[in-house]
Each structure stands twice: as structure tokens, then as C-alpha cells.
Amino acid sequence: MTFVSDRSVAEEVVQDTWLAVIRGLPSFERRSTLKTWIFRILVNRAKTRAMREARSIPFSSFEDPGGEEEPAVDPVRFLPNGMWADPPRPWHEDSPDKLLMRQETLRRLEREIEKLPPNQRAVLTLRDIEGFTSEEVCNILEISETNQRVLLHRARSKIRQALEQYLRGA
Amino acid sequence: MLTCKELTELITDYLEGRMSLGQRLRFQLHLGMCRRCRIYLRQMKMTIQTLGKLPDEPIPADVREELLMRFRSMRPASTAAFPAWQSIVAVVDGWLSGRGWIIPGGVLLAAALLAVALGGESGPLVQGSATCLLTELGAGAAPVAALILAATVFRGQVTASSLAAVAALGALAGYLSLLGSVCPYSRVTPHVLLVHVGGILAATLLGALAARLPWLRPR
């Protein structure tokens, strides 16, 4: 869903990937983990598909985290000297399990992840949800370590902010 | 002095361990003094941990079904670059690892023994037969032993068909070299058929049997 625009196309890409994995398994050389290898195939197929459809994001923009400033925290929350004006308040829920106990929180999180730009979503999903290392993510998405970190930083900051807003309102 | 605003931008470098010692000290110094940024860091860690605990999205039933169906339909033919060859090998392996070939093999062997017995000690079938047969079997056994040794050392897997194939090739090579030089009966058709062709067949079957050695079974 990060690369292609509609769900049925995404499902097709996933299917193709599994078939390619089965076909390619004898030539898998164990230079990476199987999981990384599978994701590489998936990403490559999705990219090819996206290019063919030419209705998704251009991939130069995938490599490039984007020049424009995306502050981690809304600048109005700081004083001119860079100190907090509107500081974060401790969250009542003090563990991930407690946070996810409410279905609403879960839905909210998923929606926020969907709202991320594709490249940020891809990095966040692979790193924090799927648990790949940064090296593996760079390998899968074919991006530099620095770009990976910038994308991860922006994505994580946005998700934290969304959680904060949601938990404040609740 | 690091500002709170700067800290929120450096937090990923910090968490990723991508800071110089100096940067790290400045970062930690700020954290030590600023409760608000400690809260921010805690929230960020919580966000990351929570993302890691998101439940997996279940595979929709219809997608799963279709995938399984296509997987089943493609598996035998597409495991290698030469699908037809692969399926032949698969069939041969299936056959060799079953018991189907033991009866025809036994019948062949019995027929050979019968022919030897009927031919008698002085018949053309028997003259030089022991030497020729042993040479055939030895020529077949050598590459089999080499393959088994290689498979054991490199922890590879050997299939019945590969062992049978190298045994057949070895015995055939033995026959070709024997025919020209050593064997005095190369023009005696029954001898050639029984001892040499039969020897090649026997070596092939023994090669296939070797795949049943206990330490060659897939673990």
C-alpha cells in the first residue's frame, strides 16, 4: 500500500511476491535473512508495478527524504529561546499494552501510519513494526543510512505527536 | 547549550546510537536537567514500543485461498530453471526411494544368476565374468563413494537419482575402457549383455540403494 494506490493491486503484488519467493528459493544465497530477502522482492515488485502504472509516487522522491523542513514538534510549542512553552505532559498509560488496550487507540495509530508519506511509512513499518535493523531497511529500500534515519525521525515524531494529541483529548 | 527544540530533532540520532561522544554528553546533560525533555524521550520510546506491539493484519481468507491454490499448482514444475528435467528427476527419485524397483531389480538379478548357472563353469558367459563384473561394480562404486564423501563433508544432500546416475556413468566408463583393452570377450554378445550391461545396471541400482544409508537421510 506504500507504493501502489489501491488495495487489490497491492494484494496482487503480494501474491506475485510469494510466487517469486517460491520460485527463487533455490537460488537464495543466505547473504541476508530470508525475511529481508522476501521484503526486497516485495519492494522491487511494488516499485516495478508502481512505475508501470505511473500513477503512484515517482521514485526519485522515495530516495529523497524531502528538503522542506518538517519539525518534529510544532514550533509554536517552543519559546523563542528554544525552551518548551507548551511541554509534553506525562501519559497516563505507562506501557504499550495499556495503550493498545483500547481499540480506539489502535485504530487511531493505524490511521496515523496510513497518513504518513509513503517513504516515511515504509521506513517506520519496516523498522518499528516489522523489527528490521537500520542496515536491513537500507538494503530493502535501497536508501542511504542517513536518509533512512531522517525518514524514521520524521515518521516517529509524527506518530508521537498524534498519540499525544489523542491522549490529551481522551 | 542544547535547547529543548534541538533535542527533539536529535532524538532519533540519540536513540539510533548515531552521535559522537561530545554530542551524546550534551544530549544527556540536557536530559539530566530538563524534566520536560525526559518526558518527551519517554513518550518517544513508548511510541516506538507501541508500534512494535501492533497486532499483525490477518490475511484475508480469499487472498489466502488463492495464494495457496496458485502455490500448489506451481510448485512441482517451477523449482528450477529446467522444469521438465526437474520433474523427471523428481519422478525417478520418488520411484527410487520407494520400493517399486526392488522387485524388477530382483528379477533381473535372479535371471542373471540363472543364466550363469545354466552356462556352467566353462560357458562363454562365465569366462572372465567375475573380474569383469567386479571391475564394473568397482568403477560404479568409486564415484558414488566420492559423492557420498563430498555430501558428508559439505553437509549437502544427495538424492537417489544423483547417486544412481554417477554409479551408471562410472560403470559405463569402466565398460568403455575395459572393452578396448582388458576384456577378452568383448565380441561375445551374451557376455557383454550380461556382465557389462548387467554390471552397469547393477551398479546403478546399488548407487540408488546407497542413498538409503542412514547418515545420508535428510535431517
PDB file of all heavy atoms in Angstrom, chain B residues 101-123:
ATOM      1  N   TRP B 101      11.127 -50.493  -7.311  1.00  0.00           N
ATOM      2  CA  TRP B 101      12.155 -51.026  -8.208  1.00  0.00           C
ATOM      3  C   TRP B 101      12.829 -52.265  -7.652  1.00  0.00           C
ATOM      4  O   TRP B 101      13.608 -52.918  -8.334  1.00  0.00           O
ATOM      5  CB  TRP B 101      13.193 -49.962  -8.497  1.00  0.00           C
ATOM      6  CG  TRP B 101      13.855 -49.423  -7.280  1.00  0.00           C
ATOM      7  CD1 TRP B 101      13.401 -48.422  -6.486  1.00  0.00           C
ATOM      8  CD2 TRP B 101      15.075 -49.876  -6.685  1.00  0.00           C
ATOM      9  NE1 TRP B 101      14.251 -48.212  -5.439  1.00  0.00           N
ATOM     10  CE2 TRP B 101      15.296 -49.091  -5.546  1.00  0.00           C
ATOM     11  CE3 TRP B 101      16.010 -50.866  -7.009  1.00  0.00           C
ATOM     12  CZ2 TRP B 101      16.401 -49.256  -4.721  1.00  0.00           C
ATOM     13  CZ3 TRP B 101      17.111 -51.021  -6.189  1.00  0.00           C
ATOM     14  CH2 TRP B 101      17.299 -50.231  -5.055  1.00  0.00           C
ATOM     15  N   ILE B 102      12.545 -52.605  -6.401  1.00  0.00           N
ATOM     16  CA  ILE B 102      13.237 -53.745  -5.794  1.00  0.00           C
ATOM     17  C   ILE B 102      12.842 -55.053  -6.487  1.00  0.00           C
ATOM     18  O   ILE B 102      13.695 -55.907  -6.782  1.00  0.00           O
ATOM     19  CB  ILE B 102      12.968 -53.797  -4.276  1.00  0.00           C
ATOM     20  CG1 ILE B 102      13.700 -52.627  -3.622  1.00  0.00           C
ATOM     21  CG2 ILE B 102      13.431 -55.121  -3.680  1.00  0.00           C
ATOM     22  CD1 ILE B 102      13.536 -52.532  -2.137  1.00  0.00           C
ATOM     23  N   ILE B 103      11.549 -55.179  -6.801  1.00  0.00           N
ATOM     24  CA  ILE B 103      11.086 -56.427  -7.450  1.00  0.00           C
ATOM     25  C   ILE B 103      11.677 -56.591  -8.847  1.00  0.00           C
ATOM     26  O   ILE B 103      12.333 -57.612  -9.124  1.00  0.00           O
ATOM     27  CB  ILE B 103       9.549 -56.498  -7.463  1.00  0.00           C
ATOM     28  CG1 ILE B 103       9.068 -56.631  -6.005  1.00  0.00           C
ATOM     29  CG2 ILE B 103       9.049 -57.682  -8.299  1.00  0.00           C
ATOM     30  CD1 ILE B 103       7.590 -56.479  -5.812  1.00  0.00           C
ATOM     31  N   PRO B 104      11.535 -55.554  -9.747  1.00  0.00           N
ATOM     32  CA  PRO B 104      12.184 -55.731 -11.057  1.00  0.00           C
ATOM     33  C   PRO B 104      13.686 -55.938 -10.944  1.00  0.00           C
ATOM     34  O   PRO B 104      14.266 -56.765 -11.686  1.00  0.00           O
ATOM     35  CB  PRO B 104      11.880 -54.424 -11.808  1.00  0.00           C
ATOM     36  CG  PRO B 104      11.022 -53.606 -10.930  1.00  0.00           C
ATOM     37  CD  PRO B 104      10.715 -54.350  -9.677  1.00  0.00           C
ATOM     38  N   GLY B 105      14.321 -55.237 -10.004  1.00  0.00           N
ATOM     39  CA  GLY B 105      15.767 -55.395  -9.799  1.00  0.00           C
ATOM     40  C   GLY B 105      16.092 -56.822  -9.389  1.00  0.00           C
ATOM     41  O   GLY B 105      17.035 -57.449  -9.918  1.00  0.00           O
ATOM     42  N   GLY B 106      15.292 -57.350  -8.479  1.00  0.00           N
ATOM     43  CA  GLY B 106      15.492 -58.715  -8.004  1.00  0.00           C
ATOM     44  C   GLY B 106      15.317 -59.726  -9.130  1.00  0.00           C
ATOM     45  O   GLY B 106      16.106 -60.676  -9.267  1.00  0.00           O
ATOM     46  N   VAL B 107      14.291 -59.490  -9.967  1.00  0.00           N
ATOM     47  CA  VAL B 107      14.034 -60.389 -11.093  1.00  0.00           C
ATOM     48  C   VAL B 107      15.230 -60.409 -12.044  1.00  0.00           C
ATOM     49  O   VAL B 107      15.709 -61.465 -12.462  1.00  0.00           O
ATOM     50  CB  VAL B 107      12.745 -59.976 -11.853  1.00  0.00           C
ATOM     51  CG1 VAL B 107      12.619 -60.738 -13.168  1.00  0.00           C
ATOM     52  CG2 VAL B 107      11.516 -60.216 -10.973  1.00  0.00           C
ATOM     53  N   LEU B 108      15.766 -59.215 -12.332  1.00  0.00           N
ATOM     54  CA  LEU B 108      16.941 -59.104 -13.208  1.00  0.00           C
ATOM     55  C   LEU B 108      18.114 -59.893 -12.644  1.00  0.00           C
ATOM     56  O   LEU B 108      18.784 -60.653 -13.350  1.00  0.00           O
ATOM     57  CB  LEU B 108      17.345 -57.641 -13.358  1.00  0.00           C
ATOM     58  CG  LEU B 108      16.783 -56.869 -14.544  1.00  0.00           C
ATOM     59  CD1 LEU B 108      17.222 -55.417 -14.460  1.00  0.00           C
ATOM     60  CD2 LEU B 108      17.289 -57.514 -15.849  1.00  0.00           C
ATOM     61  N   LEU B 109      18.353 -59.704 -11.351  1.00  0.00           N
ATOM     62  CA  LEU B 109      19.474 -60.353 -10.694  1.00  0.00           C
ATOM     63  C   LEU B 109      19.311 -61.872 -10.738  1.00  0.00           C
ATOM     64  O   LEU B 109      20.256 -62.607 -11.053  1.00  0.00           O
ATOM     65  CB  LEU B 109      19.548 -59.868  -9.236  1.00  0.00           C
ATOM     66  CG  LEU B 109      20.878 -60.129  -8.525  1.00  0.00           C
ATOM     67  CD1 LEU B 109      21.989 -59.300  -9.170  1.00  0.00           C
ATOM     68  CD2 LEU B 109      20.754 -59.783  -7.043  1.00  0.00           C
ATOM     69  N   ALA B 110      18.068 -62.314 -10.454  1.00  0.00           N
ATOM     70  CA  ALA B 110      17.783 -63.748 -10.465  1.00  0.00           C
ATOM     71  C   ALA B 110      18.021 -64.309 -11.866  1.00  0.00           C
ATOM     72  O   ALA B 110      18.631 -65.384 -12.033  1.00  0.00           O
ATOM     73  CB  ALA B 110      16.351 -64.020 -10.023  1.00  0.00           C
ATOM     74  N   ALA B 111      17.582 -63.577 -12.893  1.00  0.00           N
ATOM     75  CA  ALA B 111      17.754 -64.026 -14.275  1.00  0.00           C
ATOM     76  C   ALA B 111      19.236 -64.148 -14.606  1.00  0.00           C
ATOM     77  O   ALA B 111      19.666 -65.118 -15.239  1.00  0.00           O
ATOM     78  CB  ALA B 111      17.066 -63.037 -15.222  1.00  0.00           C
ATOM     79  N   ALA B 112      20.028 -63.180 -14.119  1.00  0.00           N
ATOM     80  CA  ALA B 112      21.470 -63.212 -14.376  1.00  0.00           C
ATOM     81  C   ALA B 112      22.101 -64.426 -13.731  1.00  0.00           C
ATOM     82  O   ALA B 112      22.886 -65.149 -14.369  1.00  0.00           O
ATOM     83  CB  ALA B 112      22.102 -61.929 -13.843  1.00  0.00           C
ATOM     84  N   LEU B 113      21.737 -64.670 -12.471  1.00  0.00           N
ATOM     85  CA  LEU B 113      22.291 -65.826 -11.754  1.00  0.00           C
ATOM     86  C   LEU B 113      21.911 -67.126 -12.457  1.00  0.00           C
ATOM     87  O   LEU B 113      22.738 -68.041 -12.608  1.00  0.00           O
ATOM     88  CB  LEU B 113      21.795 -65.845 -10.314  1.00  0.00           C
ATOM     89  CG  LEU B 113      22.417 -64.785  -9.402  1.00  0.00           C
ATOM     90  CD1 LEU B 113      21.739 -64.786  -8.036  1.00  0.00           C
ATOM     91  CD2 LEU B 113      23.924 -65.037  -9.261  1.00  0.00           C
ATOM     92  N   LEU B 114      20.648 -67.174 -12.923  1.00  0.00           N
ATOM     93  CA  LEU B 114      20.155 -68.358 -13.619  1.00  0.00           C
ATOM     94  C   LEU B 114      20.973 -68.604 -14.882  1.00  0.00           C
ATOM     95  O   LEU B 114      21.406 -69.730 -15.168  1.00  0.00           O
ATOM     96  CB  LEU B 114      18.677 -68.169 -13.968  1.00  0.00           C
ATOM     97  CG  LEU B 114      17.930 -69.446 -14.403  1.00  0.00           C
ATOM     98  CD1 LEU B 114      17.824 -70.421 -13.227  1.00  0.00           C
ATOM     99  CD2 LEU B 114      16.553 -69.094 -14.949  1.00  0.00           C
ATOM    100  N   ALA B 115      21.217 -67.515 -15.627  1.00  0.00           N
ATOM    101  CA  ALA B 115      21.987 -67.627 -16.867  1.00  0.00           C
ATOM    102  C   ALA B 115      23.395 -68.132 -16.578  1.00  0.00           C
ATOM    103  O   ALA B 115      23.919 -68.992 -17.295  1.00  0.00           O
ATOM    104  CB  ALA B 115      22.042 -66.269 -17.573  1.00  0.00           C
ATOM    105  N   VAL B 116      24.003 -67.619 -15.521  1.00  0.00           N
ATOM    106  CA  VAL B 116      25.343 -68.062 -15.138  1.00  0.00           C
ATOM    107  C   VAL B 116      25.323 -69.543 -14.794  1.00  0.00           C
ATOM    108  O   VAL B 116      26.171 -70.324 -15.243  1.00  0.00           O
ATOM    109  CB  VAL B 116      25.872 -67.231 -13.946  1.00  0.00           C
ATOM    110  CG1 VAL B 116      27.172 -67.832 -13.408  1.00  0.00           C
ATOM    111  CG2 VAL B 116      26.097 -65.793 -14.376  1.00  0.00           C
ATOM    112  N   ALA B 117      24.285 -69.920 -14.006  1.00  0.00           N
ATOM    113  CA  ALA B 117      24.182 -71.318 -13.590  1.00  0.00           C
ATOM    114  C   ALA B 117      24.006 -72.231 -14.799  1.00  0.00           C
ATOM    115  O   ALA B 117      24.642 -73.284 -14.901  1.00  0.00           O
ATOM    116  CB  ALA B 117      23.011 -71.490 -12.618  1.00  0.00           C
ATOM    117  N   LEU B 118      23.136 -71.820 -15.746  1.00  0.00           N
ATOM    118  CA  LEU B 118      22.881 -72.633 -16.934  1.00  0.00           C
ATOM    119  C   LEU B 118      24.107 -72.699 -17.826  1.00  0.00           C
ATOM    120  O   LEU B 118      24.388 -73.718 -18.459  1.00  0.00           O
ATOM    121  CB  LEU B 118      21.683 -72.093 -17.718  1.00  0.00           C
ATOM    122  CG  LEU B 118      20.321 -72.288 -17.037  1.00  0.00           C
ATOM    123  CD1 LEU B 118      19.218 -71.687 -17.893  1.00  0.00           C
ATOM    124  CD2 LEU B 118      20.053 -73.769 -16.781  1.00  0.00           C
ATOM    125  N   GLY B 119      24.841 -71.625 -17.883  1.00  0.00           N
ATOM    126  CA  GLY B 119      26.016 -71.551 -18.737  1.00  0.00           C
ATOM    127  C   GLY B 119      27.110 -72.490 -18.265  1.00  0.00           C
ATOM    128  O   GLY B 119      27.921 -72.948 -19.057  1.00  0.00           O
ATOM    129  N   GLY B 120      27.148 -72.714 -16.958  1.00  0.00           N
ATOM    130  CA  GLY B 120      28.157 -73.617 -16.419  1.00  0.00           C
ATOM    131  C   GLY B 120      29.512 -72.959 -16.297  1.00  0.00           C
ATOM    132  O   GLY B 120      29.730 -71.843 -16.820  1.00  0.00           O
ATOM    133  N   GLU B 121      30.424 -73.665 -15.659  1.00  0.00           N
ATOM    134  CA  GLU B 121      31.747 -73.119 -15.371  1.00  0.00           C
ATOM    135  C   GLU B 121      32.525 -72.753 -16.624  1.00  0.00           C
ATOM    136  O   GLU B 121      33.239 -71.778 -16.663  1.00  0.00           O
ATOM    137  CB  GLU B 121      32.560 -74.161 -14.584  1.00  0.00           C
ATOM    138  CG  GLU B 121      32.271 -74.167 -13.095  1.00  0.00           C
ATOM    139  CD  GLU B 121      32.705 -72.885 -12.420  1.00  0.00           C
ATOM    140  OE1 GLU B 121      33.825 -72.412 -12.715  1.00  0.00           O
ATOM    141  OE2 GLU B 121      31.925 -72.336 -11.619  1.00  0.00           O
ATOM    142  N   SER B 122      32.308 -73.556 -17.688  1.00  0.00           N
ATOM    143  CA  SER B 122      33.138 -73.337 -18.870  1.00  0.00           C
ATOM    144  C   SER B 122      32.436 -72.550 -19.975  1.00  0.00           C
ATOM    145  O   SER B 122      33.017 -72.305 -21.012  1.00  0.00           O
ATOM    146  CB  SER B 122      33.589 -74.695 -19.426  1.00  0.00           C
ATOM    147  OG  SER B 122      32.423 -75.475 -19.668  1.00  0.00           O
ATOM    148  N   GLY B 123      31.157 -72.192 -19.737  1.00  0.00           N
ATOM    149  CA  GLY B 123      30.403 -71.456 -20.755  1.00  0.00           C
ATOM    150  C   GLY B 123      31.022 -70.097 -21.037  1.00  0.00           C
ATOM    151  O   GLY B 123      31.807 -69.584 -20.238  1.00  0.00           O
TER     152      GLY B 123
END
